[in-house]
Amino acid sequence: MGSKNHEVVPTPLIGQISGLRGGTGVHKCISNLAKVGLIAKVKNAKYDGYRLTYGGLDYLALNTYRKRKDVYSVGNQIGVGKESDIYVVSDERGVQRVLKIHRLGRISFRTVKANRDYLRNRSSGSWMYMSRLAALKEYSFMKALRANGFPVPEPLAQSRHTLVMSLIDAFPLRQISSVPDPASLYADLIGIILRLAEHGLIHGDFNEFNLLIEEKSQPLADEDSKSPPRVLLTPILIDFPQMVSIDHTNAEMYFDRDVNCIKRFFERRFHFVSDESGPFFSDARGQASRGGRKRLDVEVEASGFSKKMARELEAYMKQVEATSGETASSDGEKDSNEDDCDQASRLVENRSPGCIEQEDGSLGIDSVDRQLAYDASNKLSLTSLEQT
C-alpha cells in the first residue's frame, strides 16, 4: 500500500498501515521481513524507510494466487529471459501451469545510467511499475488473442508483475534442427503474422525464441496401413509485451522486422527460401478491419490497458533496446540479425519432461506465513519463517 506513493516507505508510515500497536512489534516485523529479503533498507536516504524488493513483490503476487486457488505449489525454474523468469507451478489438483514473472530493470541496471536518468523524475517510473505494466499488457493481449482463435497459451490469472498461463507440451522453434516440411511451417508462421495484422496487431518480436512448436499425431486415413501416423507441427505464439497496434507510428518497421526474422531463420536453419516476395505492410494494412474483423488493439485498450500505459511501457522498451544495442556493439558479440531478432524472453529454456516434482520436489504455499526468499543464485524458493 505504501509503495503506491513512496518508493522508500517511511518507517512511521509502515507502522500506521500495519495497524500494530507499539513500536517494538512493528520494528520486529520489519526486521523479520528484511532478513529474508522481502524489503530492504535504502542507504543514504533522506529519511528512515524501506523499499519493497522483487522478492517481496513475488510473495505478494503468489499470496494472491494462493487466495484465489490459482497456484498451490511451485516447481522448477524452466526459463530465464532477459527480463523475466519462468516457473512450472500447479493448482490444488496437481494440474501443471506456467508462472511468468516480469523483472524489468534487470538488463537496465547493468547498462546503468541512461535508464536511471530516464526514470529519475517519474512519479510512476519504478521498475516494478513497468513490470506490472508488462504483465498486464501480456495478459490482456493473450486473453484477446485466445478468445479469437489465435494459437497462444491459455491465460489463467494475473497479479502484479506476474501471470499464470497453461503449460504447452512443445519446444521453442530455436531448438528444432529440422522439420519434414519447412515450406508448410513457414506458410503457417507468415499466416499468423498476416492474421494478426488483419485484427490490428503486430507482434513486434516474432522470432524463433517466441514460437513454440507443438507436435500432434494424425492417424492415416487407411486403417490397414502400417505406416506411422503423420506428425503435424502446430506453432504456438508467446511473449506479448512488445505487441503494438497496426496504427502505431513505427508499425511498418515492426511488421517488416517480424517477417524478416522468420525469413532469415528459415534460410539459416532449414535452408529454405520462399519463392514469393513479401508479405508487405501495405497489403496487410489494407486488410485490417475488412470484412467485419474485430480490431483487437481497440478491444485491449477498452479492457483496461490504456494508451498511457502503452506509451510508458513502449518508452521503457525503446530505452532497453537502445542500451542493449550499445552494449552489444561495444562487446562485438552480436551481428545485425541478432540485434533485430533476439529480443525474446526464453520461455522454455532447458525444458525437460516432468520438470515439476509434486510429491518430492515442489513446494506448497498453503499457509499465509510461508514467504519468498532468494538464495545465492537468485532462484525463486519458498521458505517458512520461524516464529521467534
Side-chain angles (χ1 to χ4, degrees), residues 186 190 194 255-256 259-260 263 274-281 283:
Y186 173 85
I190 294 298
L194 290 173
F255 180 88
D256 291 343
V259 171
N260 291 331
K263 285 179 175 289
S274 175
D275 294 333
E276 299 181 2
S277 59
F280 301 104
F281 176 75
D283 298 329

Side-chain angles (χ1 to χ4, degrees), residues 159-330:
S159 176
R160 295 176 172 84
H161 63 316
T162 70
L163 64 150
V164 177
M165 67 190 85
S166 60
L167 177 64
I168 304 294
D169 185 15
F171 291 91
L173 179 59
R174 67 183 181 85
Q175 292 183 354
I176 298 175
S177 58
S178 64
V179 293
D181 188 0
S184 177
L185 181 58
Y186 173 85
D188 289 343
L189 296 178
I190 294 298
I192 293 175
I193 294 176
L194 290 173
R195 190 176 167 215
L196 285 170
E198 290 173 359
H199 288 271
L201 296 174
I202 298 172
H203 186 272
D205 205 3
F206 198 95
N207 57 54
E208 65 270 24
F209 292 98
N210 291 329
L211 287 162
L212 306 181
I213 303 300
E214 184 179 19
E215 294 184 357
K216 293 183 179 179
S217 296
Q218 183 182 52
L220 297 177
D222 185 0
E223 297 180 357
D224 297 329
S225 176
K226 296 182 180 179
S227 301
R230 179 186 176 191
V231 177
L232 297 179
L233 301 181
T234 303
I236 307 295
L237 184 59
I238 60 172
D239 203 59
F240 306 100
Q242 304 87 359
M243 185 165 274
V244 298
S245 168
I246 202 167
D247 295 329
H248 189 278
T249 305
N250 298 319
E252 184 170 4
M253 182 272 290
Y254 288 123
F255 180 88
D256 291 343
R257 186 173 70 178
D258 283 353
V259 171
N260 291 331
C261 280
I262 295 303
K263 285 179 175 289
R264 283 194 291 260
F265 176 77
F266 269 72
E267 181 177 3
R268 183 177 70 249
R269 179 64 58 85
F270 305 129
H271 308 292
F272 171 81
V273 179
S274 175
D275 294 333
E276 299 181 2
S277 59
F280 301 104
F281 176 75
S282 57
D283 298 329
R285 182 73 177 84
Q287 293 297 320
S289 299
R290 285 187 182 177
R293 294 186 182 91
K294 189 183 297 184
R295 284 288 297 262
L296 297 184
D297 52 340
V298 178
E299 181 178 307
V300 168
E301 182 182 343
S303 71
F305 189 81
S306 65
K307 288 184 178 180
K308 178 178 181 292
M309 292 177 176
R311 286 194 299 268
E312 289 179 317
L313 186 58
E314 182 186 356
Y316 170 82
M317 293 293 185
K318 285 183 178 178
Q319 199 73 11
V320 170
E321 188 173 346
T323 52
S324 297
E326 291 171 5
T327 304
S329 299
S330 62

Side-chain angles (χ1 to χ4, degrees), residues 11-23:
T11 302
L13 180 59
I14 296 176
Q16 293 175 18
I17 295 173
S18 69
L20 295 175
R21 296 180 180 179

